[in-house]
Each structure stands twice: as structure tokens, then as C-alpha cells.
Tab-separated table of all heavy atoms in Angstrom:
chain	number	residue	atom	x	y	z
P	2	ILE	N	-0.440	-0.332	-15.525
P	2	ILE	CA	-1.526	-1.242	-15.833
P	2	ILE	C	-1.844	-2.159	-14.637
P	2	ILE	O	-2.973	-2.567	-14.468
P	2	ILE	CB	-1.220	-2.054	-17.104
P	2	ILE	CG1	-2.488	-2.768	-17.538
P	2	ILE	CG2	-0.119	-3.062	-16.873
P	2	ILE	CD1	-2.541	-3.114	-18.979
P	3	TYR	N	-0.863	-2.458	-13.798
P	3	TYR	CA	-1.106	-3.326	-12.644
P	3	TYR	C	-2.196	-2.760	-11.740
P	3	TYR	O	-3.009	-3.484	-11.204
P	3	TYR	CB	0.161	-3.516	-11.815
P	3	TYR	CG	1.249	-4.267	-12.521
P	3	TYR	CD1	2.421	-3.635	-12.888
P	3	TYR	CD2	1.102	-5.611	-12.822
P	3	TYR	CE1	3.428	-4.323	-13.533
P	3	TYR	CE2	2.101	-6.309	-13.459
P	3	TYR	CZ	3.256	-5.654	-13.819
P	3	TYR	OH	4.248	-6.328	-14.452
P	4	GLY	N	-2.177	-1.459	-11.543
P	4	GLY	CA	-3.125	-0.807	-10.651
P	4	GLY	C	-4.573	-0.950	-11.069
P	4	GLY	O	-5.478	-0.841	-10.246
P	5	LEU	N	-4.820	-1.205	-12.329
P	5	LEU	CA	-6.194	-1.361	-12.813
P	5	LEU	C	-6.907	-2.537	-12.154
P	5	LEU	O	-8.125	-2.563	-12.056
P	5	LEU	CB	-6.208	-1.543	-14.337
P	5	LEU	CG	-5.744	-0.353	-15.158
P	5	LEU	CD1	-5.684	-0.719	-16.633
P	5	LEU	CD2	-6.656	0.840	-14.939
P	6	PHE	N	-6.159	-3.502	-11.687
P	6	PHE	CA	-6.748	-4.702	-11.091
P	6	PHE	C	-6.870	-4.626	-9.569
P	6	PHE	O	-7.323	-5.578	-8.935
P	6	PHE	CB	-5.938	-5.933	-11.496
P	6	PHE	CG	-5.930	-6.150	-12.983
P	6	PHE	CD1	-4.832	-5.776	-13.736
P	6	PHE	CD2	-7.033	-6.687	-13.619
P	6	PHE	CE1	-4.823	-5.956	-15.115
P	6	PHE	CE2	-7.033	-6.868	-14.992
P	6	PHE	CZ	-5.927	-6.503	-15.744
P	7	ASN	N	-6.487	-3.505	-8.964
P	7	ASN	CA	-6.540	-3.370	-7.508
P	7	ASN	C	-7.927	-3.616	-6.932
P	7	ASN	O	-8.078	-4.240	-5.893
P	7	ASN	CB	-6.049	-1.990	-7.066
P	7	ASN	CG	-4.561	-1.851	-7.172
P	7	ASN	OD1	-3.859	-2.799	-7.501
P	7	ASN	ND2	-4.058	-0.664	-6.912
P	8	LYS	N	-8.958	-3.126	-7.590
P	8	LYS	CA	-10.325	-3.234	-7.063
P	8	LYS	C	-10.894	-4.653	-7.145
P	8	LYS	O	-11.785	-5.002	-6.388
P	8	LYS	CB	-11.252	-2.275	-7.814
P	8	LYS	CG	-10.886	-0.818	-7.657
P	8	LYS	CD	-11.110	-0.339	-6.261
P	8	LYS	CE	-10.785	1.141	-6.150
P	8	LYS	NZ	-10.716	1.617	-4.811
P	9	ILE	N	-10.380	-5.480	-8.047
P	9	ILE	CA	-10.917	-6.833	-8.204
P	9	ILE	C	-9.922	-7.918	-7.781
P	9	ILE	O	-10.168	-9.091	-7.972
P	9	ILE	CB	-11.379	-7.083	-9.659
P	9	ILE	CG1	-10.216	-6.904	-10.639
P	9	ILE	CG2	-12.553	-6.204	-10.010
P	9	ILE	CD1	-10.523	-7.351	-12.046
P	10	SER	N	-8.828	-7.516	-7.216
P	10	SER	CA	-7.779	-8.443	-6.820
P	10	SER	C	-8.220	-9.339	-5.671
P	10	SER	O	-8.995	-8.929	-4.801
P	10	SER	CB	-6.538	-7.649	-6.405
P	10	SER	OG	-5.543	-8.516	-5.933
P	11	LEU	N	-7.709	-10.553	-5.643
P	11	LEU	CA	-7.953	-11.459	-4.530
P	11	LEU	C	-6.993	-11.210	-3.374
P	11	LEU	O	-7.085	-11.833	-2.331
P	11	LEU	CB	-7.840	-12.913	-4.995
P	11	LEU	CG	-8.916	-13.369	-5.976
P	11	LEU	CD1	-8.636	-14.792	-6.436
P	11	LEU	CD2	-10.292	-13.271	-5.353
P	12	VAL	N	-6.056	-10.304	-3.590
P	12	VAL	CA	-5.114	-9.906	-2.552
P	12	VAL	C	-5.385	-8.446	-2.210
P	12	VAL	O	-5.275	-7.564	-3.051
P	12	VAL	CB	-3.652	-10.082	-3.017
P	12	VAL	CG1	-2.694	-9.603	-1.943
P	12	VAL	CG2	-3.380	-11.527	-3.374
P	13	ASN	N	-5.788	-8.194	-0.975
P	13	ASN	CA	-6.091	-6.839	-0.535
P	13	ASN	C	-4.898	-6.255	0.197
P	13	ASN	O	-4.331	-6.895	1.083
P	13	ASN	CB	-7.306	-6.842	0.394
P	13	ASN	CG	-8.547	-7.302	-0.314
P	13	ASN	OD1	-8.910	-6.756	-1.344
P	13	ASN	ND2	-9.188	-8.326	0.218
P	14	PHE	N	-4.539	-5.054	-0.167
P	14	PHE	CA	-3.426	-4.349	0.453
P	14	PHE	C	-4.012	-3.168	1.210
P	14	PHE	O	-4.628	-2.287	0.627
P	14	PHE	CB	-2.452	-3.895	-0.636
P	14	PHE	CG	-1.135	-3.405	-0.121
P	14	PHE	CD1	-0.500	-4.015	0.939
P	14	PHE	CD2	-0.514	-2.321	-0.717
P	14	PHE	CE1	0.721	-3.571	1.400
P	14	PHE	CE2	0.704	-1.869	-0.271
P	14	PHE	CZ	1.323	-2.493	0.788
P	15	ILE	N	-3.835	-3.166	2.519
P	15	ILE	CA	-4.501	-2.207	3.391
P	15	ILE	C	-3.474	-1.435	4.210
P	15	ILE	O	-2.472	-1.988	4.643
P	15	ILE	CB	-5.456	-2.953	4.351
P	15	ILE	CG1	-6.480	-3.757	3.541
P	15	ILE	CG2	-6.153	-1.997	5.300
P	15	ILE	CD1	-7.151	-4.844	4.336
P	16	ALA	N	-3.755	-0.152	4.422
P	16	ALA	CA	-2.913	0.672	5.286
P	16	ALA	C	-3.706	1.048	6.535
P	16	ALA	O	-4.784	1.629	6.441
P	16	ALA	CB	-2.469	1.928	4.558
P	17	ASN	N	-3.163	0.724	7.703
P	17	ASN	CA	-3.783	1.101	8.972
P	17	ASN	C	-3.228	2.471	9.355
P	17	ASN	O	-2.190	2.580	10.005
P	17	ASN	CB	-3.480	0.064	10.047
P	17	ASN	CG	-4.125	0.386	11.358
P	17	ASN	OD1	-4.658	1.469	11.570
P	17	ASN	ND2	-4.085	-0.568	12.270
P	18	ARG	N	-3.903	3.516	8.947
P	18	ARG	CA	-3.407	4.891	9.131
P	18	ARG	C	-3.251	5.283	10.584
P	18	ARG	O	-2.470	6.166	10.907
P	18	ARG	CB	-4.335	5.863	8.410
P	18	ARG	CG	-4.286	5.677	6.915
P	18	ARG	CD	-5.125	6.712	6.200
P	18	ARG	NE	-5.219	6.340	4.802
P	18	ARG	CZ	-6.345	6.219	4.151
P	18	ARG	NH1	-7.485	6.441	4.768
P	18	ARG	NH2	-6.349	5.879	2.883
P	19	GLU	N	-3.981	4.638	11.474
P	19	GLU	CA	-3.878	4.957	12.898
P	19	GLU	C	-2.509	4.601	13.469
P	19	GLU	O	-2.048	5.222	14.420
P	19	GLU	CB	-4.982	4.249	13.678
P	19	GLU	CG	-6.360	4.783	13.346
P	19	GLU	CD	-7.459	4.010	14.057
P	19	GLU	OE1	-7.160	3.211	14.970
P	19	GLU	OE2	-8.623	4.200	13.678
P	20	LYS	N	-1.857	3.588	12.887
P	20	LYS	CA	-0.545	3.166	13.361
P	20	LYS	C	0.587	4.013	12.778
P	20	LYS	O	1.705	3.998	13.286
P	20	LYS	CB	-0.304	1.706	12.978
P	20	LYS	CG	-1.169	0.725	13.729
P	20	LYS	CD	-0.972	-0.683	13.232
P	20	LYS	CE	0.303	-1.284	13.760
P	20	LYS	NZ	0.453	-2.709	13.388
P	21	CYS	N	0.298	4.753	11.704
P	21	CYS	CA	1.329	5.489	10.973
P	21	CYS	C	1.855	6.699	11.750
P	21	CYS	O	1.080	7.487	12.288
P	21	CYS	CB	0.762	5.943	9.628
P	21	CYS	SG	1.977	6.771	8.595
P	22	ARG	N	3.189	6.835	11.781
P	22	ARG	CA	3.840	7.982	12.418
P	22	ARG	C	4.219	9.046	11.390
P	22	ARG	O	4.848	10.035	11.721
P	22	ARG	CB	5.120	7.562	13.141
P	22	ARG	CG	4.888	6.707	14.340
P	22	ARG	CD	6.197	6.400	15.046
P	22	ARG	NE	7.091	5.666	14.155
P	22	ARG	CZ	8.399	5.888	14.053
P	22	ARG	NH1	8.982	6.802	14.776
P	22	ARG	NH2	9.136	5.178	13.218
P	23	ILE	N	3.889	8.793	10.124
P	23	ILE	CA	4.200	9.680	9.005
P	23	ILE	C	5.706	9.958	8.958
P	23	ILE	O	6.165	11.091	8.878
P	23	ILE	CB	3.366	10.977	9.060
P	23	ILE	CG1	1.891	10.633	9.258
P	23	ILE	CG2	3.530	11.775	7.772
P	23	ILE	CD1	0.992	11.839	9.469
P	24	CYS	N	6.491	8.897	8.994
P	24	CYS	CA	7.950	9.025	8.971
P	24	CYS	C	8.481	9.245	7.552
P	24	CYS	O	9.603	9.710	7.372
P	24	CYS	CB	8.608	7.800	9.596
P	24	CYS	SG	8.391	6.273	8.654
P	25	GLY	N	7.678	8.867	6.539
P	25	GLY	CA	8.089	9.071	5.153
P	25	GLY	C	8.883	7.938	4.535
P	25	GLY	O	9.260	8.010	3.371
P	26	SER	N	9.138	6.875	5.289
P	26	SER	CA	9.908	5.742	4.761
P	26	SER	C	9.238	5.132	3.539
P	26	SER	O	9.897	4.799	2.552
P	26	SER	CB	10.077	4.657	5.820
P	26	SER	OG	10.833	5.125	6.895
P	27	CYS	N	7.937	4.992	3.591
P	27	CYS	CA	7.207	4.374	2.484
P	27	CYS	C	7.242	5.254	1.232
P	27	CYS	O	7.379	4.749	0.113
P	27	CYS	CB	5.772	4.069	2.879
P	27	CYS	SG	4.782	5.489	3.392
P	28	GLU	N	7.144	6.543	1.415
P	28	GLU	CA	7.186	7.461	0.273
P	28	GLU	C	8.538	7.418	-0.441
P	28	GLU	O	8.599	7.505	-1.663
P	28	GLU	CB	6.920	8.891	0.721
P	28	GLU	CG	5.470	9.175	1.005
P	28	GLU	CD	5.259	10.616	1.364
P	28	GLU	OE1	5.387	10.941	2.562
P	28	GLU	OE2	4.979	11.405	0.453
P	29	LYS	N	9.587	7.278	0.315
P	29	LYS	CA	10.943	7.270	-0.262
P	29	LYS	C	11.192	6.072	-1.174
P	29	LYS	O	11.943	6.180	-2.130
P	29	LYS	CB	11.983	7.290	0.858
P	29	LYS	CG	12.016	8.593	1.604
P	29	LYS	CD	12.969	8.534	2.775
P	29	LYS	CE	12.848	9.793	3.615
P	29	LYS	NZ	13.455	9.641	4.924
P	30	VAL	N	10.555	4.930	-0.876
P	30	VAL	CA	10.797	3.726	-1.666
P	30	VAL	C	9.707	3.439	-2.699
P	30	VAL	O	9.823	2.505	-3.482
P	30	VAL	CB	10.980	2.482	-0.764
P	30	VAL	CG1	12.176	2.648	0.145
P	30	VAL	CG2	9.722	2.182	0.016
P	31	CYS	N	8.661	4.235	-2.722
P	31	CYS	CA	7.529	3.981	-3.614
P	31	CYS	C	7.903	4.225	-5.070
P	31	CYS	O	8.238	5.339	-5.460
P	31	CYS	CB	6.336	4.856	-3.229
P	31	CYS	SG	4.899	4.547	-4.260
P	32	VAL	N	7.834	3.173	-5.880
P	32	VAL	CA	8.161	3.280	-7.302
P	32	VAL	C	7.059	3.986	-8.079
P	32	VAL	O	7.289	4.484	-9.179
P	32	VAL	CB	8.455	1.897	-7.937
P	32	VAL	CG1	9.677	1.269	-7.312
P	32	VAL	CG2	7.256	0.975	-7.830
P	33	SER	N	5.855	4.057	-7.508
P	33	SER	CA	4.737	4.732	-8.159
P	33	SER	C	4.671	6.213	-7.804
P	33	SER	O	3.815	6.931	-8.301
P	33	SER	CB	3.414	4.068	-7.767
P	33	SER	OG	3.399	2.727	-8.180
P	34	GLU	N	5.560	6.627	-6.900
P	34	GLU	CA	5.640	8.026	-6.459
P	34	GLU	C	4.319	8.536	-5.885
P	34	GLU	O	3.869	9.633	-6.188
P	34	GLU	CB	6.131	8.920	-7.587
P	34	GLU	CG	7.523	8.557	-8.055
P	34	GLU	CD	8.032	9.433	-9.183
P	34	GLU	OE1	7.219	10.115	-9.837
P	34	GLU	OE2	9.245	9.408	-9.402
P	35	ILE	N	3.701	7.685	-5.040
P	35	ILE	CA	2.497	8.093	-4.324
P	35	ILE	C	2.818	8.156	-2.839
P	35	ILE	O	3.924	7.836	-2.419
P	35	ILE	CB	1.320	7.126	-4.586
P	35	ILE	CG1	1.641	5.717	-4.053
P	35	ILE	CG2	0.946	7.089	-6.058
P	35	ILE	CD1	0.449	4.767	-4.078
P	36	THR	N	1.845	8.548	-2.051
P	36	THR	CA	1.969	8.526	-0.600
P	36	THR	C	1.245	7.269	-0.127
P	36	THR	O	0.026	7.282	0.064
P	36	THR	CB	1.338	9.785	0.016
P	36	THR	OG1	1.892	10.929	-0.628
P	36	THR	CG2	1.598	9.868	1.506
P	37	PRO	N	1.961	6.162	0.033
P	37	PRO	CA	1.319	4.860	0.281
P	37	PRO	C	0.357	4.816	1.458
P	37	PRO	O	-0.705	4.207	1.342
P	37	PRO	CB	2.496	3.926	0.510
P	37	PRO	CG	3.603	4.536	-0.269
P	37	PRO	CD	3.410	6.016	-0.097
P	38	TYR	N	0.665	5.454	2.566
P	38	TYR	CA	-0.225	5.339	3.722
P	38	TYR	C	-1.555	6.050	3.485
P	38	TYR	O	-2.523	5.812	4.197
P	38	TYR	CB	0.435	5.833	5.011
P	38	TYR	CG	0.811	7.296	5.013
P	38	TYR	CD1	-0.067	8.257	5.477
P	38	TYR	CD2	2.061	7.708	4.566
P	38	TYR	CE1	0.275	9.595	5.480
P	38	TYR	CE2	2.416	9.032	4.571
P	38	TYR	CZ	1.517	9.978	5.026
P	38	TYR	OH	1.866	11.307	5.027
P	39	ILE	N	-1.632	6.882	2.456
P	39	ILE	CA	-2.880	7.564	2.097
P	39	ILE	C	-3.491	6.957	0.839
P	39	ILE	O	-4.694	6.788	0.743
P	39	ILE	CB	-2.630	9.070	1.870
P	39	ILE	CG1	-2.188	9.722	3.174
P	39	ILE	CG2	-3.884	9.744	1.323
P	39	ILE	CD1	-1.767	11.165	3.015
P	40	GLN	N	-2.651	6.613	-0.134
P	40	GLN	CA	-3.124	6.226	-1.456
P	40	GLN	C	-2.902	4.754	-1.807
P	40	GLN	O	-2.804	4.412	-2.978
P	40	GLN	CB	-2.414	7.075	-2.508
P	40	GLN	CG	-2.659	8.558	-2.359
P	40	GLN	CD	-1.777	9.345	-3.301
P	40	GLN	OE1	-0.573	9.387	-3.106
P	40	GLN	NE2	-2.382	9.945	-4.307
P	41	VAL	N	-2.836	3.889	-0.836
P	41	VAL	CA	-2.529	2.478	-1.104
P	41	VAL	C	-3.572	1.816	-2.007
P	41	VAL	O	-3.277	0.853	-2.699
P	41	VAL	CB	-2.323	1.695	0.209
P	41	VAL	CG1	-3.633	1.419	0.903
P	41	VAL	CG2	-1.561	0.413	-0.030
P	42	GLU	N	-4.787	2.331	-2.042
P	42	GLU	CA	-5.827	1.759	-2.896
P	42	GLU	C	-5.972	2.485	-4.234
P	42	GLU	O	-6.891	2.194	-4.986
P	42	GLU	CB	-7.155	1.748	-2.148
P	42	GLU	CG	-7.138	0.798	-0.963
P	42	GLU	CD	-8.484	0.678	-0.297
P	42	GLU	OE1	-9.501	1.013	-0.922
P	42	GLU	OE2	-8.516	0.249	0.856
P	43	SER	N	-5.070	3.391	-4.542
P	43	SER	CA	-5.179	4.133	-5.795
P	43	SER	C	-4.769	3.276	-6.990
P	43	SER	O	-4.091	2.260	-6.848
P	43	SER	CB	-4.295	5.384	-5.748
P	43	SER	OG	-2.946	5.033	-5.908
P	44	LEU	N	-5.167	3.694	-8.158
P	44	LEU	CA	-4.805	2.982	-9.382
P	44	LEU	C	-3.311	3.051	-9.658
P	44	LEU	O	-2.756	2.199	-10.343
P	44	LEU	CB	-5.578	3.544	-10.573
P	44	LEU	CG	-7.077	3.302	-10.579
P	44	LEU	CD1	-7.722	3.954	-11.795
P	44	LEU	CD2	-7.392	1.823	-10.540
P	45	GLU	N	-2.647	4.060	-9.119
P	45	GLU	CA	-1.211	4.209	-9.330
P	45	GLU	C	-0.390	3.184	-8.560
P	45	GLU	O	0.728	2.856	-8.934
P	45	GLU	CB	-0.747	5.624	-8.950
P	45	GLU	CG	-1.200	6.698	-9.904
P	45	GLU	CD	-2.625	7.172	-9.645
P	45	GLU	OE1	-3.131	6.961	-8.520
P	45	GLU	OE2	-3.241	7.742	-10.559
P	46	CYS	N	-0.930	2.661	-7.473
P	46	CYS	CA	-0.222	1.675	-6.658
P	46	CYS	C	-0.137	0.352	-7.413
P	46	CYS	O	-1.147	-0.223	-7.807
P	46	CYS	CB	-0.940	1.470	-5.327
P	46	CYS	SG	-0.172	0.217	-4.277
P	47	ILE	N	1.095	-0.144	-7.602
P	47	ILE	CA	1.281	-1.420	-8.308
P	47	ILE	C	1.507	-2.585	-7.342
P	47	ILE	O	1.806	-3.690	-7.752
P	47	ILE	CB	2.433	-1.347	-9.327
P	47	ILE	CG1	3.757	-1.066	-8.628
P	47	ILE	CG2	2.120	-0.325	-10.406
P	47	ILE	CD1	4.962	-1.262	-9.519
P	48	ARG	N	1.384	-2.318	-6.063
P	48	ARG	CA	1.503	-3.346	-5.018
P	48	ARG	C	2.832	-4.095	-5.069
P	48	ARG	O	2.877	-5.318	-5.002
P	48	ARG	CB	0.331	-4.298	-5.085
P	48	ARG	CG	-0.973	-3.584	-4.818
P	48	ARG	CD	-2.121	-4.511	-4.816
P	48	ARG	NE	-3.332	-3.721	-4.560
P	48	ARG	CZ	-4.489	-4.254	-4.284
P	48	ARG	NH1	-4.619	-5.540	-4.218
P	48	ARG	NH2	-5.522	-3.491	-4.067
P	49	CYS	N	3.883	-3.329	-5.168
P	49	CYS	CA	5.216	-3.932	-5.158
P	49	CYS	C	5.621	-4.335	-3.738
P	49	CYS	O	6.557	-5.090	-3.545
P	49	CYS	CB	6.236	-2.964	-5.750
P	49	CYS	SG	6.470	-1.454	-4.772
P	50	LEU	N	4.924	-3.792	-2.742
P	50	LEU	CA	5.106	-4.079	-1.318
P	50	LEU	C	6.404	-3.515	-0.732
P	50	LEU	O	6.783	-3.880	0.382
P	50	LEU	CB	4.993	-5.577	-1.020
P	50	LEU	CG	3.686	-6.249	-1.444
P	50	LEU	CD1	3.710	-7.719	-1.061
P	50	LEU	CD2	2.485	-5.563	-0.839
P	51	ARG	N	7.064	-2.651	-1.441
P	51	ARG	CA	8.274	-2.026	-0.879
P	51	ARG	C	7.940	-1.216	0.360
P	51	ARG	O	8.711	-1.188	1.314
P	51	ARG	CB	8.957	-1.155	-1.925
P	51	ARG	CG	9.597	-1.958	-3.022
P	51	ARG	CD	10.315	-1.080	-3.996
P	51	ARG	NE	10.839	-1.904	-5.082
P	51	ARG	CZ	11.507	-1.420	-6.097
P	51	ARG	NH1	11.740	-0.126	-6.180
P	51	ARG	NH2	11.944	-2.229	-7.030
P	52	CYS	N	6.801	-0.547	0.347
P	52	CYS	CA	6.402	0.247	1.512
P	52	CYS	C	6.207	-0.647	2.739
P	52	CYS	O	6.599	-0.305	3.843
P	52	CYS	CB	5.144	1.051	1.219
P	52	CYS	SG	3.752	0.089	0.622
P	53	LYS	N	5.620	-1.815	2.523
P	53	LYS	CA	5.422	-2.772	3.624
P	53	LYS	C	6.760	-3.233	4.193
P	53	LYS	O	6.916	-3.364	5.402
P	53	LYS	CB	4.610	-3.969	3.123
P	53	LYS	CG	4.285	-4.984	4.198
P	53	LYS	CD	3.481	-6.127	3.623
P	53	LYS	CE	3.047	-7.185	4.591
P	53	LYS	NZ	3.684	-7.336	5.835
P	54	GLU	N	7.724	-3.451	3.331
P	54	GLU	CA	9.036	-3.931	3.760
P	54	GLU	C	9.783	-2.916	4.627
P	54	GLU	O	10.492	-3.307	5.549
P	54	GLU	CB	9.886	-4.272	2.546
P	54	GLU	CG	9.375	-5.465	1.760
P	54	GLU	CD	10.096	-5.656	0.435
P	54	GLU	OE1	11.037	-4.891	0.126
P	54	GLU	OE2	9.699	-6.574	-0.303
P	55	VAL	N	9.633	-1.622	4.349
P	55	VAL	CA	10.414	-0.616	5.072
P	55	VAL	C	9.672	0.029	6.233
P	55	VAL	O	10.277	0.758	7.023
P	55	VAL	CB	10.929	0.502	4.128
P	55	VAL	CG1	11.802	-0.080	3.042
P	55	VAL	CG2	9.793	1.314	3.559
P	56	CYS	N	8.392	-0.231	6.370
P	56	CYS	CA	7.603	0.436	7.409
P	56	CYS	C	7.968	-0.065	8.803
P	56	CYS	O	7.778	-1.238	9.126
P	56	CYS	CB	6.116	0.218	7.153
P	56	CYS	SG	5.079	1.051	8.376
P	57	PRO	N	8.459	0.831	9.668
P	57	PRO	CA	8.838	0.417	11.022
P	57	PRO	C	7.633	0.145	11.933
P	57	PRO	O	7.761	-0.517	12.949
P	57	PRO	CB	9.656	1.600	11.547
P	57	PRO	CG	9.152	2.768	10.780
P	57	PRO	CD	8.765	2.245	9.429
P	58	GLU	N	6.463	0.656	11.562
P	58	GLU	CA	5.264	0.508	12.399
P	58	GLU	C	4.309	-0.572	11.909
P	58	GLU	O	3.225	-0.739	12.463
P	58	GLU	CB	4.517	1.853	12.470
P	58	GLU	CG	5.339	2.977	13.054
P	58	GLU	CD	5.773	2.701	14.481
P	58	GLU	OE1	4.974	2.158	15.258
P	58	GLU	OE2	6.924	3.036	14.820
P	59	GLU	N	4.682	-1.287	10.852
P	59	GLU	CA	3.841	-2.341	10.275
P	59	GLU	C	2.437	-1.836	9.947
P	59	GLU	O	1.423	-2.449	10.294
P	59	GLU	CB	3.794	-3.557	11.191
P	59	GLU	CG	5.171	-4.173	11.402
P	59	GLU	CD	5.157	-5.389	12.313
P	59	GLU	OE1	4.096	-5.741	12.862
P	59	GLU	OE2	6.233	-5.987	12.477
P	60	VAL	N	2.396	-0.691	9.282
P	60	VAL	CA	1.142	-0.052	8.889
P	60	VAL	C	0.428	-0.843	7.794
P	60	VAL	O	-0.794	-0.906	7.758
P	60	VAL	CB	1.413	1.399	8.414
P	60	VAL	CG1	0.205	2.013	7.740
P	60	VAL	CG2	1.874	2.252	9.583
P	61	PHE	N	1.185	-1.484	6.926
P	61	PHE	CA	0.618	-2.138	5.755
P	61	PHE	C	0.360	-3.621	6.003
P	61	PHE	O	1.193	-4.331	6.551
P	61	PHE	CB	1.549	-1.949	4.555
P	61	PHE	CG	1.796	-0.501	4.263
P	61	PHE	CD1	2.944	0.128	4.731
P	61	PHE	CD2	0.874	0.237	3.554
P	61	PHE	CE1	3.167	1.471	4.486
P	61	PHE	CE2	1.091	1.587	3.300
P	61	PHE	CZ	2.229	2.203	3.767
P	62	VAL	N	-0.822	-4.071	5.578
P	62	VAL	CA	-1.256	-5.446	5.790
P	62	VAL	C	-1.732	-6.019	4.458
P	62	VAL	O	-2.417	-5.348	3.696
P	62	VAL	CB	-2.418	-5.499	6.815
P	62	VAL	CG1	-2.900	-6.923	7.021
P	62	VAL	CG2	-2.006	-4.877	8.124
P	63	VAL	N	-1.372	-7.258	4.200
P	63	VAL	CA	-1.840	-7.965	3.004
P	63	VAL	C	-2.815	-9.033	3.462
P	63	VAL	O	-2.498	-9.851	4.321
P	63	VAL	CB	-0.662	-8.618	2.232
P	63	VAL	CG1	-1.172	-9.394	1.057
P	63	VAL	CG2	0.341	-7.559	1.793
P	64	LYS	N	-4.032	-8.995	2.894
P	64	LYS	CA	-5.057	-9.985	3.223
P	64	LYS	C	-5.536	-10.651	1.952
P	64	LYS	O	-5.684	-10.000	0.928
P	64	LYS	CB	-6.242	-9.317	3.932
P	64	LYS	CG	-5.913	-8.791	5.308
P	64	LYS	CD	-7.136	-8.314	6.001
P	64	LYS	CE	-6.778	-7.857	7.415
P	64	LYS	NZ	-7.963	-7.432	8.157
P	65	LYS	N	-5.803	-11.926	2.038
P	65	LYS	CA	-6.287	-12.680	0.878
P	65	LYS	C	-7.799	-12.778	0.924
P	65	LYS	O	-8.391	-12.826	2.000
P	65	LYS	CB	-5.674	-14.081	0.868
P	65	LYS	CG	-4.192	-14.069	0.681
P	65	LYS	CD	-3.638	-15.466	0.694
P	65	LYS	CE	-2.126	-15.409	0.560
P	65	LYS	NZ	-1.525	-16.726	0.679
P	66	GLY	N	-8.411	-12.801	-0.239
P	66	GLY	CA	-9.862	-12.949	-0.356
P	66	GLY	C	-10.502	-11.708	-0.926
P	66	GLY	O	-9.881	-10.664	-1.056
P	67	LEU	N	-11.768	-11.840	-1.282
P	67	LEU	CA	-12.515	-10.710	-1.826
P	67	LEU	C	-12.803	-9.709	-0.729
P	67	LEU	O	-12.910	-10.057	0.444
P	67	LEU	CB	-13.819	-11.191	-2.458
P	67	LEU	CG	-13.667	-12.101	-3.681
P	67	LEU	CD1	-15.032	-12.636	-4.081
P	67	LEU	CD2	-13.028	-11.353	-4.832
P	68	ARG	N	-13.005	-8.471	-1.126
P	68	ARG	CA	-13.304	-7.407	-0.151
P	68	ARG	C	-14.623	-7.602	0.514
P	68	ARG	O	-15.556	-8.055	0.124
P	68	ARG	CB	-13.302	-6.049	-0.864
P	68	ARG	CG	-11.941	-5.670	-1.286
P	68	ARG	CD	-11.999	-4.328	-1.955
P	68	ARG	NE	-10.640	-4.031	-2.363
P	68	ARG	CZ	-10.142	-2.841	-2.419
P	68	ARG	NH1	-10.864	-1.821	-2.128
P	68	ARG	NH2	-8.925	-2.652	-2.779
């Protein structure tokens, strides 16, 4: 149910795919069982931020405000 609010959230979670080395660290810790660097904006993503915590390349960014 958390993912339903992704599109209207005041907190934007973004993946900079250009920085990604596709190491798989984010996939291993994803509780939603998605591929975060590709599907970070999907309804399945609950924004637990585990992928951000383990990413060695700092691919994931959290920004505040409307899109």
C-alpha cells in the first residue's frame, strides 16, 4: 500500500542510472523484490531506502518537494 503514494509524495526517490555499475547490491536488499535502479518509481517500491544505504556508487537520491 505504501507504493500507491509514490506519485504524489513530497519526497522524491530518484535513481541516477548513469552512475550505476549494476553490481546487484540494491537488488539483494530490496524487500519489495524489484530491481531498484530500474524500478525505483514503481508501485512496488515502498521506499525503505535500503538500496540507498548499500549502494557503493550513490545512485539513489532523495529530494524533497513536488515533482
